[in-house]
Structure formats: structure tokens, C-alpha cells
Amino acid sequence: QVQLVESGGGLAQAGDSLRLSCQASGGTFSRYAMGWFRQAPGKEREFVAKISRFGGTTDYADSVNGRFTIARESAKNAVYLQMDSLKPEDTANYYCAADQVYTAVSYEYWGQGTQVTVSS
């Protein structure tokens, strides 16, 4: 059983940067591809970014490509989401997720989320 805890959310202004962190425990970190998802009020949860087990492959949603960067640090069992040039439409609850399959559509483990609010 993998536990995921997100942190780093908060208030930002348009153009600012935030860095989200996700701490994993309870499993072998290198067995899991990691992803970030977000859900805005009244909207469905959407994919943001993902990274393969050893960090060699990443993928991003078109809406964040070029502004967000996902990275993982195996020594700390952590995955990060660096968010630059934030926009008000990035406002959402951001979730970290883990799955053993990089191409998984439905991830096995989820964190509780961290709120990001971007004002114009």
C-alpha cells in the first residue's frame, strides 16, 4: 500500500511560480510511475503531467507544456511539479498519483491533494 502526501500549494498571482511536492511511502518508489492531476471546481479531474519509473520519460498536458516540469528524486521518494508562469486557469486542487504502469489510464494510488489558487 502506497501513501502519497502532497504539499506546496497556496496562493499565487498570475506569472508567479510554485513548486508542488509529493512524498511517497509504503512501497518501493522505483516500481511506480508518478503523475500529477488537477481538478477545478465544477470540472472533471484532468491529467497534468507524468514521469516514468526512473525519470527517463515525461509527458505533459498541452495546457501546461512548456510551463510545468515534473521531476522525481528517488533518494527522497519524492516527485515534484515545478509550475512557472502560472495562470488563473491553473487554479485547482492538485493530486499526486502512482501506478506501476506508465501508460495507465486509471492510477492505483492517490494523495489527498493540495490547493493551488492563482489570481489575475
Side-chain angles (χ1 to χ4, degrees), residues 2 13 21 41 65 67 98 100 112-113 118:
V2 176
Q13 293 188 330
S21 299
N65 197 23
R67 299 188 298 121
Q100 294 191 51
Q112 294 299 307
V118 184

Tab-separated table of all heavy atoms in Angstrom, residues 2 13 21 41 65 67 98 100 112-113 118:
chain	number	residue	atom	x	y	z
A	2	VAL	N	0.691	2.078	-0.979
A	2	VAL	CA	1.481	3.299	-1.117
A	2	VAL	C	0.681	4.470	-0.589
A	2	VAL	O	-0.493	4.649	-0.929
A	2	VAL	CB	1.861	3.522	-2.590
A	2	VAL	CG1	2.592	4.838	-2.756
A	2	VAL	CG2	2.714	2.359	-3.105
A	13	GLN	N	-0.012	34.771	-7.735
A	13	GLN	CA	-0.523	35.691	-8.743
A	13	GLN	C	-0.120	35.197	-10.127
A	13	GLN	O	0.845	34.427	-10.271
A	13	GLN	CB	0.019	37.093	-8.505
A	13	GLN	CG	-0.504	37.733	-7.224
A	13	GLN	CD	-0.113	39.188	-7.112
A	13	GLN	OE1	0.928	39.601	-7.619
A	13	GLN	NE2	-0.944	39.969	-6.442
A	21	SER	N	5.194	19.319	-4.096
A	21	SER	CA	5.942	18.124	-3.734
A	21	SER	C	4.971	17.009	-3.381
A	21	SER	O	3.868	17.262	-2.891
A	21	SER	CB	6.847	18.395	-2.537
A	21	SER	OG	7.792	19.392	-2.814
A	41	PRO	N	-13.025	23.459	-9.475
A	41	PRO	CA	-14.430	23.379	-9.053
A	41	PRO	C	-15.376	23.249	-10.239
A	41	PRO	O	-15.269	23.998	-11.213
A	41	PRO	CB	-14.641	24.718	-8.329
A	41	PRO	CG	-13.288	25.090	-7.857
A	41	PRO	CD	-12.342	24.623	-8.919
A	65	ASN	N	2.283	22.337	-20.965
A	65	ASN	CA	3.554	22.032	-21.618
A	65	ASN	C	4.351	23.311	-21.839
A	65	ASN	O	3.839	24.300	-22.367
A	65	ASN	CB	3.290	21.322	-22.944
A	65	ASN	CG	4.526	20.632	-23.461
A	65	ASN	OD1	5.443	20.308	-22.706
A	65	ASN	ND2	4.544	20.367	-24.771
A	67	ARG	N	5.445	25.148	-19.411
A	67	ARG	CA	5.349	25.966	-18.185
A	67	ARG	C	5.590	25.128	-16.930
A	67	ARG	O	6.115	25.632	-15.945
A	67	ARG	CB	3.965	26.616	-18.082
A	67	ARG	CG	3.632	27.541	-19.227
A	67	ARG	CD	2.321	28.299	-18.956
A	67	ARG	NE	1.176	27.415	-18.831
A	67	ARG	CZ	0.411	27.342	-17.753
A	67	ARG	NH1	0.671	28.088	-16.691
A	67	ARG	NH2	-0.630	26.518	-17.725
A	98	ALA	N	0.155	7.404	-8.258
A	98	ALA	CA	1.177	6.409	-8.563
A	98	ALA	C	0.555	5.182	-9.202
A	98	ALA	O	-0.534	4.755	-8.813
A	98	ALA	CB	1.922	6.012	-7.286
A	100	GLN	N	1.991	1.331	-11.359
A	100	GLN	CA	3.134	0.577	-11.860
A	100	GLN	C	3.235	0.618	-13.378
A	100	GLN	O	4.267	0.237	-13.928
A	100	GLN	CB	3.052	-0.868	-11.368
A	100	GLN	CG	3.198	-0.995	-9.855
A	100	GLN	CD	3.381	-2.418	-9.398
A	100	GLN	OE1	4.239	-3.138	-9.902
A	100	GLN	NE2	2.564	-2.836	-8.434
A	112	GLN	N	-4.203	13.134	-1.195
A	112	GLN	CA	-5.393	13.886	-0.803
A	112	GLN	C	-5.510	15.224	-1.526
A	112	GLN	O	-6.576	15.843	-1.517
A	112	GLN	CB	-5.384	14.117	0.706
A	112	GLN	CG	-5.524	12.830	1.501
A	112	GLN	CD	-6.831	12.125	1.215
A	112	GLN	OE1	-7.901	12.712	1.312
A	112	GLN	NE2	-6.756	10.853	0.834
A	113	GLY	N	-4.428	15.652	-2.121
A	113	GLY	CA	-4.483	16.890	-2.894
A	113	GLY	C	-3.957	18.099	-2.153
A	113	GLY	O	-3.943	18.141	-0.919
A	118	VAL	N	-4.638	30.766	-8.230
A	118	VAL	CA	-3.891	31.785	-8.957
A	118	VAL	C	-4.822	32.952	-9.261
A	118	VAL	O	-5.855	32.778	-9.908
A	118	VAL	CB	-3.302	31.219	-10.257
A	118	VAL	CG1	-2.454	32.284	-10.947
A	118	VAL	CG2	-2.479	29.971	-9.983
